[in-house]
Amino acid sequence: MKLVMIGSGYVGLVSGACFADFGHEVVCVDKDETKIAALQSGKIPIFEPGLDHLVATGAASGRLTFTTEIGSAVADAHAVFIAVGTPSRRGDGHADMVYVYAAAREIAASLSGFTVIVNKSTVPVGTGDEVERIIREVNPAAEFAVVSNPEFLREGAAIDDFKRPDRVVIGGDDERGLAVMRQIYRPLALGRSPLIEMSRRGAELTKYAGNAFLATKITFINEMADLCEKVGADVLEVARGIGLDNRIGSKFLHAGPGYGGSCFPKDTLALLKTADDYDAPIRIVEAVVAANDRRKRLMGRKVIEAAGGDLRGRTVAILGLAFKPNTDDMRESPAIAIIQTLQDGGASIHAYDPQSIEQARGVLHDVDYFTDAYSAMAGCDALVIATEWDEFRALDLGRIKTLLREPVLVDLRNIYDRAAVEQHGLRYTAVGR
Ligand code: NAD
């Protein structure tokens, strides 16, 4: 089938490359000319494991192409996916819909023949209705159906998530539109991924409900971790103890510095705004948002305390800047608030991340970047593990002890064993242990 992906970011590019791999013909569109020029010359503008290979294969087969021109691609397409950003609107936290609605207008002008417009971006309930209204207004003669198809992939494991999803959610009631969607996702049937059909509004809300639930699970174990510290329990034991209960499940029970990333923070806020609009408050998510915001700053305080209470004139090494491993995405990363708190406390920052230093330069100020973990920590007064990249999991503890000026290791991801760390003469602080 002929597909168009409007927006070639984490979601659009991964989805486009995977669909092309399944055998569909995919045109990835982006209004960012630099991004499209890079893709056309074989360069991948983001870091996502395996994506370079998948894009190269798709491009070589001729099934995956890139353009800044929406028009001709849309005219030929069976389905046009909207995969543009829906960031928090400045000032009020509502999802900012300007990119989605602009894309709808641009698509509308070029439609020809029956076309399915697919909202893949994470969008508030009712967006499908508004996209439909915009298209009708711009092009009253257009033959189309608008369906919701929220994306659940995780950065860092995006290709596997896209190709072997737990489920695919399709929302809409236009039978012609649904038939096209079933055809597009047919290759997934081999992997037995269930395709769930529901109302468009149900699909829109499912995405927010899923992210809010996961954010709640993370925040729950984080607060349990705080209690563990006070009562002398180990949150790893508690998490295992509850996670083996099938009704609870062990995923998303890793205590840490708070959730970040391009989705949970903005999606929880947007859900609360929708709840407000409809006068159906979701108190539990309100509490999650507040607790998580507070937590990121508290983690900076935790480092200051571990280092003796005063970091003025001292240097802290931060390992890991991205909001999680295997991505270069810095959006809302806990490392940002932690570093700012340390800087406010008078500390200088050394930092290393395997992939996100370029992105970090745009967000953080007055940070010295290094090309590996050991050179970042040399001469520092504390070492903080902020993101659990694999390469930080088996650092040479003896070498760390000789490189640090003060033997302070703050492990905000709980990837080390206290006894092993202390054996090397390092003072160890973790989360909830
Ligand atoms: P992104 O910022 O990485 O990419 C969005 C792209 O859209 C940008 O390259 C931008 O230039 C382009 N764009 C914006 N308006 C355009 C237009 N009118 N025409 C062409 N291109 C346009 O965003 P993302 O992380 O891929 O997220 C996209 C959507 O998917 C969001 O709604 C997000 O919430 C959702 N989502 C993201 C993830 C994730 O892990 N990143 C997972 C699931 C869902």
Side-chain angles (χ1 to χ4, degrees):
M1 303 198 88
K2 294 189 177 179
L3 312 181
V4 173
M5 202 56 70
I6 312 282
S8 305
Y10 287 88
V11 166
L13 188 56
V14 169
S15 309
C18 289
F19 278 140
D21 206 39
F22 289 151
H24 298 310
E25 277 179 50
V26 184
V27 183
C28 282
V29 183
D30 206 288
K31 61 178 184 183
D32 181 339
E33 290 173 9
T34 325
K35 202 174 255 188
I36 292 300
L39 286 163
Q40 283 169 336
S41 66
K43 295 193 196 79
I44 309 293
I46 53 172
F47 173 73
E48 178 60 43
L51 188 58
D52 46 359
H53 173 71
L54 201 66
V55 169
T57 315
S61 72
R63 289 196 302 274
L64 182 63
T65 53
F66 305 98
T67 181
T68 53
E69 290 301 319
I70 281 194
S72 56
V74 165
D76 269 357
H78 296 103
V80 180
F81 287 75
I82 300 179
V84 302
T86 46
S88 274
R89 194 163 67 191
R90 250 175 224 287
D92 67 5
H94 264 292
D96 193 341
M97 300 306 293
V98 290
Y99 306 106
V100 170
Y101 294 153
R105 278 182 197 287
E106 290 165 52
I107 293 165
S110 307
L111 289 173
S112 104
F114 178 74
T115 314
V116 185
I117 315 298
V118 189
N119 271 335
K120 193 165 251 322
S121 296
T122 301
V123 293
V125 171
T127 299
D129 304 354
E130 181 60 11
V131 165
E132 196 170 304
R133 194 196 61 75
I134 290 172
I135 294 175
R136 255 188 234 302
E137 178 186 284
V138 177
N139 186 349
E143 257 191 283
F144 67 99
V146 176
V147 306
S148 166
N149 170 218
E151 182 50 55
F152 298 97
L153 63 77
R154 294 163 301 167
E155 287 175 21
I159 293 171
D160 203 48
D161 282 352
F162 192 89
K163 289 191 163 184
R164 278 169 284 278
D166 292 338
R167 77 311 201 185
V168 173
V169 170
I170 313 265
D173 55 11
D174 180 296
E175 198 36 54
R176 268 211 294 179
L178 293 176
V180 170
M181 294 306 287
R182 288 179 205 126
Q183 191 67 10
I184 291 172
Y185 278 104
R186 204 180 46 83
L188 290 185
L190 291 174
R192 299 181 193 280
S193 296
L195 199 148
I196 306 175
E197 295 179 11
M198 59 175 79
S199 71
R200 199 161 64 193
R201 285 178 169 238
E204 289 167 341
L205 189 54
T206 295
K207 174 64 191 175
Y208 283 105
N211 275 356
F213 190 86
L214 295 173
T216 303
K217 209 171 169 192
I218 294 173
T219 306
F220 176 84
I221 201 66
N222 283 341
E223 296 205 312
M224 281 299 137
D226 295 346
L227 183 59
C228 284
E229 286 181 15
K230 295 276 164 61
V231 302
D234 183 334
V235 73
L236 295 188
E237 294 175 356
V238 175
R240 187 167 153 76
I242 60 173
L244 287 173
D245 184 329
N246 282 330
R247 294 169 302 176
I248 296 174
S250 58
K251 291 181 179 165
F252 281 75
L253 284 182
H254 303 286
Y259 61 78
S262 66
C263 292
F264 289 178
K266 78 167 175 69
D267 292 348
T268 43
L269 279 184
L271 178 64
L272 290 180
K273 287 295 164 188
T274 301
D276 237 20
D277 289 348
Y278 287 85
D279 199 18
I282 312 176
R283 302 282 183 235
I284 191 166
V285 179
E286 289 171 14
V288 164
V289 169
N292 194 67
D293 280 352
R294 189 164 155 268
R295 183 169 196 83
K296 293 186 192 172
R297 289 190 299 277
L298 282 180
M299 290 295 120
R301 296 292 320 160
K302 188 181 181 84
V303 175
I304 294 173
E305 274 158 37
D310 186 2
L311 279 178
R312 274 174 295 179
R314 303 215 266 159
T315 307
V316 178
I318 307 284
L319 298 187
L321 297 168
F323 83 95
K324 66 176 179 179
N326 298 320
T327 181
D328 57 354
D329 201 336
M330 283 292 297
R331 289 179 278 187
E332 304 287 330
S333 174
I336 299 170
I338 293 168
I339 288 173
Q340 284 165 352
T341 307
L342 297 176
Q343 289 176 325
D344 291 346
S348 305
I349 303 294
H350 285 189
Y352 166 67
D353 185 285
Q355 290 294 340
S356 70
I357 289 177
E358 270 326 294
Q359 305 237 15
R361 285 184 204 280
V363 196
L364 296 164
H365 303 288
D366 300 323
V367 170
D368 290 323
Y369 296 100
F370 291 79
T371 51
D372 72 285
Y374 295 109
S375 51
M377 72 181 79
C380 287
D381 300 286
L383 173 64
V384 178
I385 297 173
T387 313
E388 69 279 31
W389 284 89
D390 279 349
E391 66 175 79
F392 302 152
R393 284 174 185 269
L395 292 168
D396 179 340
L397 295 169
R399 195 170 164 201
I400 293 179
K401 171 73 169 66
T402 58
L403 285 171
L404 287 175
R405 189 156 53 199
E406 293 293 331
V408 176
L409 172 56
V410 183
D411 177 7
L412 296 179
R413 299 294 182 167
N414 288 340
I415 56 178
Y416 280 91
D417 175 57
R418 175 180 299 280
V421 172
E422 290 179 346
Q423 231 172 37
H424 286 84
L426 292 159
R427 294 207 303 274
Y428 184 66
T429 303
V431 176
R433 296 157 75 195

